[in-house]
Amino acid sequence: MDLMEYDQFIIAINFACITILVLLAGILLAATRFKGENGYAAAIIVIPNVPVYLYNMSRMLGWHEFTVFMFPIGFSVNTMLMPLLWLFTLKNFKVGFRFRYIQLLHFLPAIVCALLCFTMPMQEIVDSILYEMKGDDSWIGDVNTIIITIQLVTYFPAIFRFLYRRKKEIYETSSNAEWIQKGWIWQFMLLFAALFVTVMVSYAIWPRTDAWLIQILNVIAMSFLVYNTIAHPVISPQLEQKVVEESTDNNNVTQNLTDEQMREICEKASSYLLTTKAFLQPDIRIALFAKQIDIPQRNLSRAINTYLNRNFFEFINEMRVEEAKRKLVELDAKGYNIDSIYSECGFRSRSTFFMVFKKITGKTPAIWLNDNQN
């Protein structure tokens, strides 16, 4: 591939990626109606990426005035990606999260890069652009790369540490499939980390890959982000927070429980759930449930974990799956279809219902129904 063909290849890749990313952001916002963390997801898709690709494309096309205009933008917005990923994680998993002015400090590197670019003489900007077109980085490019590298080794460990801790909390206290609902975010961060490593290694081998490889890998990651954000509805943890705040100190005292006491607690919990059908409530949490049956939350959690060898998360979902089985065998008589019963069984989405059902029974609802009909 000669130089001209390579330049055309870069232009085509950047144009295609810009189009796809803008389309993905539009689909995301239209499908989710701008709710909750979806604004952060759309920002992740567009802000750190599209301006950089526009800069790359205009540079190759010889749009000199536009390239000079995009120069400070391109060398600043890409430092916003990691802060946006961090805020997206907090928005999804931190109860009562609100964006505050202090969090603008996360975007200080972007401001620094922009100021450095704006203070550069015009001739130096032009020289830097020409230098980059030869496949090498100017000093501002080196500064930008150093900042991004520091962000990678700072934000990714913080994100994974936060997700690990939150996963444990959700796994111990959630009654619905909240981690299954949002576990894809962990996978998304792992995917992003792997893609970044690929990009950094490729850049070290051949610097010009920053003009096309990053774009392709970003489209892959953003497609994963959009699909899962739409496929997994938002679960609000506000009810649990309210109940926890209202709980008294005595309700959180952990006692040394005997096997007999744990058995009695589990029987009381099961009886209440089966009698009231409370397990069909999508928002039921262990804090609320413990208060309803007048058992300290930690005692309830310990009894279920130790005596039943499962957590509250699994305890509730097993009852929901049993309810789903009952409804499935009534499909012909009642007019149900497999896709319509999940909400009646306490699940928030079809995908969660299918994942939980298969995890517990080892079969999909359709296969289970077919086996039982036969």
Side-chain angles (χ1 to χ4, degrees):
M1 182 181 297
D2 60 33
L3 183 58
M4 183 171 293
E5 289 177 342
Y6 184 74
D7 289 347
Q8 291 174 347
F9 168 74
I10 292 176
I11 293 170
I13 290 294
N14 280 270
F15 178 78
C17 290
I18 290 169
T19 304
I20 294 172
L21 290 176
V22 172
L23 181 62
L24 287 174
I27 292 173
L28 173 64
L29 294 177
T32 58
R33 298 179 183 179
F34 300 81
K35 292 182 179 179
E37 59 269 22
N38 301 311
Y40 288 91
I44 291 170
I45 294 170
V46 175
I47 294 176
N49 300 311
V50 171
V52 179
Y53 305 163
L54 283 172
Y55 170 72
N56 288 335
M57 191 172 68
S58 65
R59 189 179 59 189
M60 293 299 173
L61 288 171
W63 298 348
H64 303 300
E65 292 184 2
F66 186 72
T67 304
V68 170
F69 172 78
M70 292 299 299
F71 182 80
I73 301 174
F75 278 101
S76 57
V77 295
N78 59 352
T79 64
M80 298 173 67
L81 176 59
M82 293 309 303
L84 286 171
L85 286 174
W86 171 245
L87 294 175
F88 176 70
T89 304
L90 293 181
K91 181 64 176 176
N92 270 280
F93 288 104
K94 188 173 182 179
V95 176
F97 172 78
R98 294 288 185 275
F99 184 86
R100 293 179 171 81
Y101 289 123
I102 189 66
Q103 287 159 340
L104 290 174
L105 291 175
H106 288 288
F107 302 101
L108 186 59
I111 297 173
V112 170
C113 285
L115 290 175
L116 288 174
C117 291
F118 279 121
T119 55
M120 290 173 62
M122 180 58 66
Q123 186 57 50
E124 187 176 356
I125 292 176
V126 173
D127 291 342
S128 294
I129 294 171
L130 294 174
Y131 191 65
E132 289 169 1
M133 292 179 68
K134 296 177 182 178
D136 296 314
D137 264 343
S138 59
W139 69 268
I140 188 66
D142 292 333
V143 170
N144 185 263
T145 300
I146 291 171
I147 290 175
I148 292 176
T149 303
I150 293 173
Q151 288 181 323
L152 290 177
V153 299
T154 303
Y155 279 97
F156 269 131
I159 287 172
F160 287 124
R161 182 173 180 270
F162 176 80
L163 286 176
Y164 176 79
R165 293 176 62 184
R166 188 61 182 132
K167 176 182 179 180
K168 186 176 180 181
E169 293 169 7
I170 292 173
Y171 190 71
E172 291 176 349
T173 62
S174 295
S175 61
N176 55 23
E178 183 170 352
W179 181 255
I180 294 179
Q181 288 284 131
K182 293 189 174 184
W184 67 268
I185 295 177
W186 176 277
Q187 298 170 355
F188 172 67
M189 295 301 174
L190 285 174
L191 172 63
F192 229 118
L195 295 181
F196 262 113
V197 171
T198 302
V199 166
M200 299 298 284
V201 171
S202 301
Y203 179 80
I205 297 172
W206 187 23
R208 292 207 73 183
T209 57
D210 70 338
W212 58 272
L213 181 60
I214 297 175
Q215 288 80 328
I216 295 174
L217 296 181
N218 258 335
V219 167
I220 294 172
M222 296 311 165
S223 298
F224 183 88
L225 172 64
V226 171
Y227 169 78
N228 283 283
T229 301
I230 295 174
H232 298 85
V234 174
I235 296 177
S236 173
Q238 301 303 320
L239 180 60
E240 180 183 7
Q241 182 191 31
K242 181 179 179 181
V243 172
V244 171
E245 289 174 350
E246 290 177 352
S247 297
T248 63
D249 292 336
N250 291 334
N251 199 38
N252 284 318
V253 174
T254 303
Q255 301 172 355
N256 292 322
L257 302 175
T258 65
D259 287 346
E260 180 63 21
Q261 288 173 320
M262 288 190 288
R263 182 187 65 79
E264 291 176 357
I265 289 173
C266 291
E267 288 181 353
K268 182 176 181 179
S270 297
S271 176
Y272 181 88
L273 288 167
L274 293 172
T275 302
T276 64
K277 298 289 185 181
F279 62 88
L280 299 180
Q281 301 171 11
D283 289 324
I284 187 173
R285 306 289 177 114
I286 191 170
L288 175 63
F289 180 62
K291 193 172 184 181
Q292 289 174 337
I293 62 176
D294 195 28
I295 293 176
Q297 177 182 330
R298 293 183 183 177
N299 290 352
L300 175 61
S301 178
R302 174 169 292 187
I304 294 173
N305 277 269
T306 304
Y307 189 78
L308 298 180
N309 196 29
R310 55 181 56 82
N311 58 29
F312 192 65
F313 176 97
E314 297 164 327
F315 179 56
I316 293 294
N317 280 328
E318 285 177 0
M319 291 188 175
R320 289 175 173 171
V321 168
E322 289 302 314
E323 181 72 9
K325 289 179 181 178
R326 185 184 67 78
K327 290 184 179 295
L328 284 171
V329 298
E330 298 176 353
L331 285 174
D332 294 334
K334 299 287 187 178
Y336 287 109
N337 63 67
I338 291 176
D339 287 343
S340 70
I341 68 171
Y342 68 81
S343 61
E344 300 176 23
C345 298
F347 294 100
R348 286 183 172 273
S349 73
R350 177 182 182 275
S351 60
T352 302
F353 167 58
F354 273 66
M355 284 188 287
V356 172
F357 192 97
K358 187 173 183 180
K359 180 180 179 181
I360 292 176
T361 66
K363 303 175 182 178
T364 65
I367 294 176
W368 183 90
L369 178 60
N370 182 64
D371 291 346
N372 280 270
Q373 284 178 334
N374 292 335

